[in-house]
Each structure stands twice: as C-alpha cells, then as structure tokens.
Amino acid sequence: MHTLYTPVSDLIRTVAREVVLHHYQQLSSAQISEKTPGDLVTIADQESERRLSAGLADILPQASIVGEEAVEADPVLIERVNDSTAWIIDPIDGTHNYANGHPPFGIIIALVERGETVAGWLYDPLADRMCHAVRGGGAFINDLPVTARESGEQLPVAAISTLFIEEPRRSAINRAAEGRFRLVDIPRCAAEQYPRLVLGENDVTLFERTLPWDHAAGVLFVEEAGGKAARLDGSRYLPGDRRTGMIAAASPRLWDEAAAILI
C-alpha cells in the first residue's frame, strides 16, 4: 500500500458520505448544469472537489492540485500534472449517471510525480469499494491484493466507448469488433470500468478521450494488477500526454489481440 493510503482513503470516504451520497438522488434541476452539450456538472461535483482539494493539500502541502472542475474554469491548470508532485482529482466520475440518479459513479484520485502516476484510488461509494494501486507495489481492493483475470468466455468481453469517435472511424471499429468480441454496454464511469477489467467481468475496453482525472489512477490499477493499458501504438499512458485513444485489457495477451482487431 502507498504510505498515504490511509489518510487519502479516509478523506475520500468522508467526502463521499458527507457530499456525494448526501446529494445523491436529491438534486434539483437548478443544481445540474452543462459544461458542454451532454457533459454535466452538479453542485455535488463542485463541493466534492473543494473538500478533496483542501484535504489533499493538508496531507501533502507541497503537491500541486489538478481538479477536473478547476481545469474547466482555468484550462492552464492542467499543465500542473507535470509538476514534481501533483494530485489529480475527479470529484465525481460518472456525473451523467449520478445526475440522473443511478449508478455507477465514483471518486478518483491519482498521485503523480514528475509526470508519472505513482498511486491511485478509485472509490465506489455505494459499494464501499476502494480500489488502490501503487507503482511497483501492486493493486488492492479494500486492502486485499488483487490480480487481474480474464473472463474466460469464448469471445472476449469488450466494452468499447465510441462516444467521442467520429464517423467513419466509429463504424469501422464496430464492424471490426463484430463477431470477434462479445460487446457489452459501457458504464460511462472509468471508476467502474477499470475494476471490471481486473475482476474478470470485462476483458477489453477502448477509450478515445483519455483525460488524466478519468484515467491516471485506473491505468495504474490495471497495470499493477497484471493487465495492460496503453496507447493505440503500444506506448505508455502518461497523465500529461494530450493524445487520444487507449486500449486497456485484463492481460497483455488480450491487449495484443484487441489491438490487432481494433486499430
């Protein structure tokens, strides 16, 4: 476990209980707005980020803080992911689900040093499931070590996100996947998608948009569990990388198989 596992986990659980779950299924229409068409934000996202930012600053005062909503207000702040030490915050991942009153949704925190993710937390408040990873130290769910496993199904189970892929590439990917994977719906929540890969529920997932607050912690979690997450050309995912496109899989073998089919 990372040396900061306990204080960060305690902070996340407190904010989840006092903010995220407090507002869950209680939001009025006035408390939900659009940042861009279809991209929602709620008062709970904003309050959660304020509380998490303050708490993480107390835990590690020298670290920069990069929150999803702060970057929305001031895009230049995203450059801080390359500082010597930085926290990356997704105050409510899966806001579309949360705002509509249904799961999954979660809180994601990543700790980055010199542009590389060194620890990550993905928390499901409804299930009280804390997924954690530390670079070189393994992956854990609720304090217990976990190893990624394949589903074992005849056709690999794939959740392919084409939300941000334009035609004709979207249709080409769907045609390539047909008959080669058993396609399942995406959860619209990275805090849920990455655990599904580790727990044997999904074998492969394809992402187009790869913003650091959505993916830094999850990529590390899959990698430390023995799976593989990488850019479409096979290169590493780094939080400060502005490129799009990534495949994550429950094993390196499945990653290679998916890359051969989908790219």
Side-chain angles (χ1 to χ4, degrees):
M1 314 291 283
H2 194 271
T3 55
L4 297 179
Y5 171 73
T6 297
V8 174
S9 296
D10 288 348
L11 172 65
I12 292 170
R13 284 190 165 98
T14 297
V15 174
R17 181 179 64 253
E18 296 180 0
V19 178
V20 178
L21 294 179
H22 175 73
H23 288 290
Y24 181 49
Q25 297 179 333
Q26 303 296 321
L27 293 167
S28 69
S29 58
Q31 295 172 322
I32 305 169
S33 58
E34 285 188 320
K35 294 185 284 189
T36 59
D39 188 6
L40 303 181
V41 63
T42 74
I43 62 163
D45 293 80
Q46 295 162 343
E47 186 178 347
S48 174
E49 183 162 309
R50 285 193 296 269
R51 291 276 301 272
L52 291 167
S53 297
L56 293 171
D58 287 340
I59 291 169
L60 202 63
Q62 69 271 29
S64 300
I65 294 178
V66 180
E68 178 181 4
E69 306 313 328
V71 172
E72 177 66 22
D74 183 2
V76 174
L77 292 177
I78 199 169
E79 300 297 338
R80 293 182 179 177
V81 300
N82 293 313
D83 287 356
S84 58
T85 307
W87 293 109
I88 301 176
I89 303 171
D90 192 336
I92 300 180
D93 182 61
T95 296
H96 183 275
N97 300 334
Y98 178 82
N100 284 282
H102 63 79
F105 55 87
I107 294 174
I108 306 177
I109 302 290
L111 179 61
V112 177
E113 294 180 355
R114 294 175 293 279
E116 180 177 68
T117 311
V118 297
W121 291 256
L122 303 96
Y123 182 59
D124 179 339
L126 293 177
D128 189 25
R129 182 187 66 195
M130 183 69 74
C131 297
H132 171 63
V134 55
R135 183 160 299 283
F140 306 83
I141 297 181
N142 290 341
D143 305 351
L144 297 177
V146 63
T147 301
R149 61 181 184 270
E150 300 179 8
S151 70
E153 295 198 19
Q154 184 175 1
L155 290 179
V157 181
I160 297 177
S161 176
T162 59
L163 289 175
F164 303 101
I165 299 176
E166 296 183 354
E167 295 289 0
R169 184 167 161 246
R170 176 186 297 175
S171 294
I173 290 171
N174 289 330
R175 286 195 301 271
E178 188 174 355
R180 308 293 295 274
F181 298 105
R182 182 169 75 82
L183 299 178
V184 296
D185 290 338
I186 60 170
R188 298 193 70 166
C189 174
E192 171 66 17
Q193 185 61 66
Y194 283 106
R196 288 185 182 185
L197 292 170
V198 171
L199 293 170
E201 298 173 20
N202 290 175
D203 290 303
V204 171
T205 190
L206 172 71
F207 299 105
E208 177 68 4
R209 192 171 72 169
T210 56
L211 298 168
W213 38 85
D214 290 325
H215 296 282
V219 166
L220 181 65
F221 181 64
V222 166
E223 290 175 339
E224 288 295 326
K228 180 177 179 178
R231 292 294 188 185
L232 303 183
D233 62 1
S235 61
R236 293 179 61 203
Y237 173 83
L238 295 171
D241 184 352
R242 300 295 185 87
R243 290 180 293 167
T244 59
M246 180 165 58
I247 293 172
S251 69
R253 180 191 72 82
L254 282 169
W255 193 96
D256 291 343
E257 183 176 334
I261 294 168
L262 299 175
I263 299 175

